Amino acid sequence: MSVAAREEFKQSPDGVVFRDLNGNGVMDPYEDPRRPVQERVEDLLGRLSLEEKAGLMFHTMASATESGSLDDDAPRAGRSSLAELVGDKLINHINVHFLPEPRLAAKWVNEVQRRAAGTPHGIPVTLSTDPRHSFAENWGASFTAIHFSAWPEPLGMAAIGDEELVREFTGIARKEYTAVGIRAALHPTIDLATEPRWARQYGTFGQDAGLVSRLALAYLDGFEGGALDAGSVACMAKHFPGGGPQLDGEDSHFPYGREQVYPGGMFDYHLEPFRRVISRGVSAIMPYYGMPMGLELDGEPVEEVGFGYNRQIIQGLLRDKLGYTGVVCTDWGLVTESRLHGRQLPPRAWGVEHLSVEDRVLKIIDAGCDQLGGEECADVVVDLVRQGRVSEKRIDESVRRLLSVKFQLGLFDDPYVDESMAAQRTGLPEFVDAGTRAQARSVTLLKNSAAYDGGAVSAPRPILPLRPGTRVFSQEVSAEALALAGLEHAVNAEGADVAIVRVNAPFDFRDQYMLESSFHAGSLEFDAGTIETVGRLAEAVPVVVVAHLDRPAVLTPLEPHCAAIAAVYGASDAAVLQALTGAVPPEGRLPFQLPRSEASVIASRSDVPGDLEDALYECGFGMEL
């Protein structure tokens, strides 16, 4: 039993420890840890009010407090406090954003669970998170690893292509999540990166459906295990039926990116990873925002509305045809507008913008979804039932699925975490070292041309690996990192043996809508200033360009100036230098094509993998040192 246990823990006459969640002094069937999950579900379902059932159908957002105390909760404008969400609206699925250091995070989680224990039947809170073990900070999709170990983005895992590494990562991530009470992962993202301009490729396993499927299964192995239990983290695979083929590469978070297209007729190809995880078993699936355009299934036109609203896709394809029986949770904010940091984002009600809030909720439920992500309007579901517009029997179908996961995770028996041990179970040196090594392994060497060892009479050699004592000029890599790698820091290019230039894949900065500034979209071409800087530097010293690829980039104008080019997918300076020196040999292979020109990107078909004509580097390319 957790050290955070409180008075709800009692002992039955025959010695069974249980949580008296409804406060009646008796171990009711749903409180009995010995009973089968479905028996407990049915017992609790029969006791719940309509308001409690409706609360289960919402999965909204909140941030922990810096102090770890609920008393300091200060929700952003237009959002309810945790006390209101859990205590009044009876919502008990929370997607947590900000987390303080682990001990205080655990303290906050325990206070949330104690608040939930005071509701009529004490339904525990399932705390979920977007990925938070890498480098991309995007409040709409992922968080940087701060208190947890840092690993390459999923694209980097794809570059390595090692299922055992994915199991190692997810096993460590599971330990770190559970240490602070996070029990659900709003990932993996198993979309296919077939549209080079799409902003969310960094969270995918690349363009190849076979590789994505293999790594997705390993991912679930590490987080969920063979079957959900008290040590598992429940996963939510996304974004059904594949969120990659967006028109012009724009993202469907935003009104200008709502269309999802299949000019190459590759809908089934994008569906393949979902077929695989459904066959294996996965706790939850999330449809994307996208609105399918011109799509037909079994000879019938598919309604051109967002996938979360689309009965042909959710009930017809996912449930009836593919046989999926788990939780379906919509992506965030399909019903009401969102506001954050002075920016607004309209409801992602693509194709049904004309519908009222009530009618949107009704259409989502009718489509076959169980939960509304990012919303907190549980009263709307209550009103729809009382008006006779949706049956309570239909609500019960969703509630059964949602309760089953909570029971399987053991949350009804003990949702608390050990505050005193949280810091000792996160960010451990062996976890950090494993993550750094994976970052280095994922580095993809694209070019390694000849350099000279002291004049024309010397034999040429490739410039990499960098030898101990090499004098390195870099404005991005610190002198401390160079020294730790056995290299010398040169204060200017003229006194250096080599220059290292770290660049990010290009994008067009946008900041009209909420979250838009975090989505790297638009052109893949480098600006003239970057090209000129690398060219001038190359006149003085051999240049090694290290390109961070959160999506493809047109490296063509940089390539002639570079003695070496390496691609990374989330890597610290230390990891990059381990790879460039060969301390950890880079073994990455490109998880997608790299275009030779922007024109080839525009000419390619969004749903077709490997559709770039005359690519500069092909998917799967990578050199050894």
Side-chain angles (χ1 to χ4, degrees):
M1 185 187 303
S2 160
V3 297
R6 290 299 185 268
E7 60 273 6
E8 72 259 21
F9 286 93
K10 295 182 180 177
Q11 193 172 58
S12 70
D14 55 352
V16 177
V17 174
F18 72 101
R19 294 175 72 214
D20 185 17
L21 294 169
N22 58 11
N24 66 357
V26 176
M27 185 172 66
D28 295 303
Y30 86 93
E31 297 167 337
D32 187 345
R34 300 168 300 180
R35 293 179 183 264
V37 165
Q38 290 311 309
E39 185 178 333
R40 300 177 76 180
V41 168
E42 290 304 318
D43 178 70
L44 179 55
L45 183 63
R47 300 170 185 269
L48 296 180
S49 66
L50 179 57
E51 287 76 9
E52 288 172 290
K53 294 176 182 179
L56 277 155
M57 295 180 67
F58 288 80
H59 197 148
T60 194
M61 304 89 62
S63 285
T65 60
E66 292 188 14
S67 67
S69 173
L70 276 184
D71 292 338
D72 297 328
D73 186 31
R76 71 175 190 259
R79 308 297 301 189
S80 300
S81 68
L82 252 297
E84 292 170 322
L85 286 173
V86 176
D88 299 332
K89 296 189 175 185
L90 303 175
I91 291 174
N92 44 57
H93 291 81
I94 305 293
N95 170 20
V96 62
H97 282 194
F98 168 77
L99 280 176
E101 58 90 5
R103 182 183 63 82
L104 294 177
K107 178 178 184 291
W108 179 82
V109 166
N110 285 340
E111 289 197 13
V112 171
Q113 296 294 8
R114 285 194 286 272
R115 185 64 58 93
T119 58
H121 291 92
I123 299 174
V125 172
T126 304
L127 288 154
S128 67
T129 184
D130 283 309
R132 53 173 75 237
H133 276 88
S134 299
F135 292 82
E137 182 71 18
N138 178 345
W139 274 50
S142 60
F143 303 94
T144 54
I146 300 175
H147 304 295
F148 297 157
S149 53
W151 296 71
E153 307 290 354
L155 275 179
M157 298 289 183
I160 300 171
D162 183 351
E163 291 144 287
E164 287 307 312
L165 175 65
V166 173
R167 290 189 182 95
E168 179 188 17
F169 157 62
T170 49
I172 288 173
R174 174 180 52 79
K175 293 175 183 177
E176 294 184 315
Y177 278 2
T178 57
V180 297
I182 295 172
R183 300 304 306 279
L186 305 180
H187 40 99
T189 298
I190 56 175
D191 305 319
L192 304 182
T194 55
E195 164 50 71
R197 292 165 291 184
W198 188 42
R200 299 196 64 178
Q201 291 174 77
Y202 70 90
T204 75
F205 292 122
Q207 72 176 43
D208 181 78
L211 176 62
V212 172
S213 298
R214 288 194 294 105
L215 298 187
L217 296 179
Y219 202 96
L220 297 178
D221 289 345
F223 269 120
E224 292 197 346
L228 288 187
D229 59 25
S232 299
V233 170
C235 286
M236 187 179 292
K238 60 188 185 185
H239 304 85
F240 188 82
Q246 306 300 132
L247 180 64
D248 298 331
E250 300 292 1
D251 190 78
S252 53
H253 270 83
F254 310 107
Y256 52 74
R258 64 182 195 163
E259 292 93 350
Q260 194 154 317
V261 295
Y262 300 91
M266 298 289 283
F267 177 83
D268 281 345
Y269 186 78
H270 286 261
L271 198 61
E272 182 57 28
F274 292 94
R275 295 183 190 273
R276 297 288 299 278
V277 300
I278 290 168
S279 295
R280 178 211 180 272
V282 63
S283 300
I285 284 178
M286 178 190 292
Y288 206 33
Y289 299 117
M291 180 175 70
M293 305 301 294
L295 180 65
E296 289 189 359
L297 290 180
D298 299 324
E300 294 292 328
V302 174
E303 185 182 11
E304 293 181 350
V305 298
F307 286 122
Y309 287 99
N310 201 308
R311 183 174 174 84
Q312 290 164 280
I313 295 295
I314 305 304
Q315 186 63 48
L317 176 60
L318 178 58
R319 294 210 186 277
D320 296 341
K321 189 170 184 177
L322 299 181
Y324 181 66
T325 59
V327 171
V328 177
C329 177
T330 75
D331 213 327
W332 268 223
L334 265 64
V335 175
T336 61
E337 76 168 13
S338 307
R339 293 186 178 274
L340 181 68
H341 303 321
R343 296 291 187 272
Q344 175 265 355
L345 192 56
R348 273 71 86 200
W350 309 141
V352 296
E353 291 92 340
H354 61 286
L355 294 183
S356 67
V357 166
E358 292 77 12
D359 287 343
R360 291 173 189 170
V361 172
L362 180 62
K363 190 169 179 65
I364 287 168
I365 294 172
D366 184 62
C369 297
D370 301 304
Q371 272 193 325
L372 285 80
E375 304 287 355
E376 55 181 74
C377 51
D379 57 308
V380 173
V381 172
V382 173
D383 289 344
L384 287 171
V385 174
R386 288 180 175 160
Q387 294 166 14
R389 302 185 68 194
V390 63
S391 70
E392 192 162 356
K393 180 180 178 181
R394 167 65 188 89
I395 300 302
D396 288 350
E397 292 176 9
S398 292
V399 171
R400 280 191 183 90
R401 297 183 185 112
L402 295 158
L403 286 176
S404 292
V405 176
K406 286 183 185 284
F407 277 112
Q408 289 171 328
L409 291 173
L411 291 172
F412 276 91
D413 302 321
D414 187 359
Y416 300 109
V417 291
D418 191 335
E419 297 169 22
S420 68
M421 291 300 296
Q424 285 72 47
R425 294 172 176 167
T426 54
L428 297 179
E430 57 265 35
F431 295 173
V432 172
D433 290 347
T436 302
R437 183 176 180 83
Q439 295 167 38
R441 288 178 62 191
S442 71
V443 172
T444 304
L445 187 58
L446 301 176
K447 181 179 181 180
N448 190 15
S449 62
Y452 285 88
D453 293 330
V457 296
S458 298
R461 65 172 181 86
I463 198 162
L464 299 177
L466 299 178
R467 296 178 176 179
T470 298
R471 294 166 296 174
V472 178
F473 172 73
S474 180
Q475 294 182 310
E476 296 84 29
V477 180
S478 70
E480 292 77 12
L482 292 168
L484 288 172
L487 306 171
E488 295 183 12
H489 175 245
V491 296
N492 54 56
E494 288 72 19
D497 300 313
V498 66
I500 297 176
V501 179
R502 296 200 65 169
V503 297
N504 293 318
F507 63 95
D508 297 333
F509 180 76
R510 303 168 181 173
D511 195 21
Q512 176 184 355
Y513 294 107
M514 186 190 92
L515 301 178
E516 193 178 19
S517 63
S518 296
F519 282 74
H520 293 177
S523 174
L524 303 178
E525 293 186 315
F526 285 96
D527 61 90
T530 299
I531 298 169
E532 182 179 359
T533 296
V534 172
R536 287 183 177 178
L537 190 59
E539 294 174 358
V541 65
V543 173
V544 177
V545 162
V546 178
H548 172 70
L549 300 182
D550 57 353
R551 59 187 192 136
V554 178
L555 295 171
T556 307
L558 299 180
E559 196 273 343
H561 303 299
C562 299
I565 301 175
V568 299
Y569 317 91
S572 65
D573 286 346
V576 168
L577 294 176
Q578 285 178 0
L580 297 186
T581 61
V584 177
E587 56 186 274
R589 299 292 183 267
L590 282 174
F592 40 42
Q593 289 179 304
L594 293 188
R596 187 174 297 276
S597 67
E598 185 82 1
S600 70
V601 173
I602 295 170
S604 68
R605 293 166 292 179
S606 298
D607 61 327
V608 180
D611 200 45
L612 292 173
E613 184 177 349
D614 189 28
L616 183 64
Y617 295 105
E618 287 292 346
C619 178
F621 180 79
M623 303 171 64
E624 296 182 358
L625 281 180

